[in-house]
Amino acid sequence: MFDYLVVGAGFAGSVLAERLAAGSDKKVLICDKRPHIGGNAYDHYNDAGILVHKYGPHIFHTNSREVFEYLSRFTEWRPYQHRVRASVDGQIVPMPINLDTINALYGLNLTSFEVEEFFKSVAESRAEIRTSEDVVVSKVGRELYEKFFRNYTRKQWGLDPSELDASVTSRVPTRTNRDDRYFTDTYQAMPLHGYTRMFEKMLDHPNIKILLNCDYRDVEKDIPFRKMIYTGPVDTFFDYCYGKLPYRSLEFKHETHDATVFQSAPVINYPNDQLYTRVTEFKYLTGQEHAKSSVVYEFPKAEGDPYYPVPRKENGDLYVKYKALADATPDVHFVGRLATYKYYNMDQIVAQALTTYAKIAGMKRLEAVANGNGRQNINGNGNGNKAAVFNERRTATALTLTTT
């Protein structure tokens, strides 16, 4: 008998599995449809021996010391501050828009004080900020909105910014200085040996077992458990009884090139000229030294794995109906981006999972995070170098678990 069935081996499910096992001595079974742990943060070495992120770049950043210290139990870190460029008007310029962006685009030599006045002169007044278009034009005006945001957003979401909630573009700041870092969080780093290694250490506990290539509905009647942690799409859990919640998906095109460096920045956005939205070169992120270099192109699409909840009022209203069902479902905790229909950064998902565990354990969060951490160290716990992972094999008469 398992105390918990955890559906999904991404950040939300893995953090909760670790805390329940190590902090509360619970028996946990994790079930995931994919053939690997780590969710969308999964990384691996490709055929050329280059560490790549299968589902696009995942950059860790947080202002939460608690989250950073918790994850530090399972990984060493490589300091990394992310930088993004955008291909606009035949130039590769800093993104988010900053002083150097404006000077390069317009052939100017403005100071920080002068560029602030420049933004004020082109900004369009809005009585109310309701949409993503409102956010941008009220800060930087119509022309920069057209150059950097409108077409990128159309590709990414399949909708015009005027049709999307203000939250979409409010995530991207505008700067009057030369700070070209994409994030300004206190803690910015990448797992030294990759995300998958971090997840392996997180799940390396004798109370945790893992089923991969497995839909939880195929085993929930065969394997006894007391409670569930669900991190999948909330509408799927309830068989789409109110209809499907809209998501955007992505298609990834990975390439390896016979060059030590492929492009001039870790990520280059293409707002206007291509079908893809951005290109990422992984060696910038990982610090790996290699004679070749691998990149990934991202093509947004309407169908496929759910990546981004579509932030529109009508979708939020639909989610509220599902949330009411979730709140009324006994012995099931709905955690993570898909289960709560909200875009979270990785650190926010970790924080949400830690908060959920604290509620389950009846502790304050600081106490819950610290509880049972004595067994943790980055060299494992004697349960092997990897989490105990199982694949599902079904026969006509029984469910058999075999070690891989």
Side-chain angles (χ1 to χ4, degrees):
M1 168 72 76
F2 288 97
D3 296 298
Y4 283 88
L5 172 62
V6 176
V7 180
F11 269 104
S14 295
V15 168
L16 272 159
E18 187 279 330
R19 285 289 72 211
L20 288 164
S24 296
D25 196 30
K26 300 298 184 182
K27 305 295 183 183
V28 180
L29 174 65
I30 301 181
C31 183
D32 199 294
K33 281 184 173 182
R34 287 171 168 169
H36 57 73
I37 59 175
N40 291 339
Y42 170 76
D43 53 18
H44 68 104
Y45 288 91
N46 65 13
D47 290 342
I50 300 172
L51 183 62
V52 300
H53 297 182
K54 181 177 176 65
Y55 305 101
H58 283 70
I59 316 299
F60 186 80
H61 57 99
T62 187
N63 285 315
S64 171
R65 178 176 177 178
E66 182 182 41
V67 167
F68 187 73
E69 288 185 345
Y70 169 75
L71 292 178
S72 296
R73 299 175 191 174
F74 315 108
T75 185
E76 298 174 81
W77 297 96
R78 172 181 179 262
Y80 174 76
Q81 294 189 329
H82 192 48
R83 286 171 169 82
V84 176
R85 297 293 183 263
S87 176
V88 175
D89 292 349
Q91 299 186 66
I92 303 296
V93 295
M95 183 70 187
I97 296 170
N98 68 6
L99 175 60
D100 288 335
T101 311
I102 298 302
N103 283 337
L105 279 178
Y106 295 105
L108 301 173
N109 192 28
L110 301 179
T111 66
S112 291
F113 299 106
E114 290 169 335
V115 80
E116 188 172 355
E117 292 303 313
F118 171 85
F119 287 139
K120 289 179 181 178
S121 71
V122 297
E124 295 183 7
S125 177
R126 286 287 191 274
E128 183 182 2
I129 304 297
R130 295 184 302 103
T131 70
S132 285
E133 178 180 303
D134 294 335
V135 171
V136 179
V137 298
S138 67
K139 290 181 179 178
V140 300
R142 179 68 52 177
E143 185 173 351
L144 290 171
Y145 163 73
E146 295 285 349
K147 289 180 183 293
F148 286 90
F149 292 94
R150 188 176 192 184
N151 291 330
Y152 189 96
T153 304
R154 283 174 165 177
K155 285 192 287 185
Q156 182 72 21
W157 297 99
L159 295 165
D160 192 81
S162 63
E163 302 175 89
L164 287 166
D165 185 84
S167 62
V168 174
T169 50
S170 62
R171 293 167 57 90
V172 183
T174 300
R175 300 184 181 133
T176 58
N177 56 22
R178 288 192 163 89
D179 187 352
D180 66 343
R181 297 174 301 163
Y182 200 77
F183 308 110
T184 57
D185 298 65
T186 303
Y187 304 97
Q188 301 185 51
M190 297 291 287
L192 183 62
H193 301 293
Y195 285 101
T196 300
R197 183 76 64 84
M198 180 181 73
F199 278 99
E200 288 174 351
K201 292 180 183 295
M202 186 183 297
L203 298 175
D204 183 12
H205 193 284
N207 285 355
I208 298 175
K209 299 295 182 288
I210 304 171
L211 275 173
L212 300 178
N213 295 305
C214 172
D215 188 318
Y216 79 99
R217 289 184 170 178
D218 292 338
V219 299
E220 64 177 335
K221 294 181 180 178
D222 298 307
I223 299 178
F225 63 92
R226 293 185 174 89
K227 297 182 180 181
M228 179 185 292
I229 305 291
Y230 182 80
T231 71
V234 64
D235 54 346
T236 303
F237 184 89
F238 293 107
D239 295 319
Y240 310 106
C241 63
Y242 294 128
K244 283 193 174 185
L245 284 165
Y247 290 91
R248 288 293 283 177
S249 188
L250 292 169
E251 180 179 338
F252 302 98
K253 180 184 178 184
H254 288 265
E255 292 181 351
T256 297
H257 296 271
D258 289 318
T260 55
V261 177
F262 178 77
Q263 61 187 25
S264 60
V267 172
I268 297 181
N269 289 355
Y270 291 86
N272 305 308
D273 301 329
Q274 308 291 343
L275 292 177
Y276 47 84
T277 51
R278 61 180 180 175
V279 182
T280 299
E281 186 168 4
F282 291 109
K283 284 165 55 180
Y284 283 101
L285 279 56
T286 63
Q288 184 179 4
E289 295 183 3
H290 198 287
K292 297 182 179 182
S293 196
S294 291
V295 300
V296 65
Y297 297 79
E298 294 182 40
F299 297 83
K301 59 179 187 175
E303 301 297 327
D305 288 346
Y307 288 103
Y308 302 109
V310 180
R312 303 183 76 187
K313 183 182 183 304
E314 55 265 41
N315 300 340
D317 293 342
L318 179 57
Y319 166 66
V320 168
K321 294 182 179 180
Y322 281 114
K323 184 178 186 303
L325 289 180
D327 291 343
T329 302
D331 297 330
V332 180
H333 298 274
F334 293 81
V335 190
R337 182 187 296 182
L338 301 179
T340 58
Y341 199 67
K342 185 175 181 180
Y343 184 88
Y344 290 110
N345 291 327
M346 291 182 287
D347 67 315
Q348 294 172 312
I349 296 174
V350 173
Q352 186 191 55
L354 294 175
T355 298
T356 301
Y357 171 67
K359 292 178 180 177
I360 291 171
M363 303 176 184
K364 293 182 179 179
R365 198 170 88 170
L366 284 174
E367 180 186 3
V369 173
N371 189 47
N373 72 344
R375 67 108 193 157
Q376 306 290 356
N377 66 78
I378 61 174
N379 295 314
N381 69 341
N383 190 38
N385 293 325
K386 296 184 179 181
V389 180
F390 298 85
N391 280 331
E392 179 197 13
R393 291 184 181 177
R394 295 190 67 84
T395 67
T397 58
L399 176 73
T400 303
L401 303 182
T402 57
T403 306
T404 59

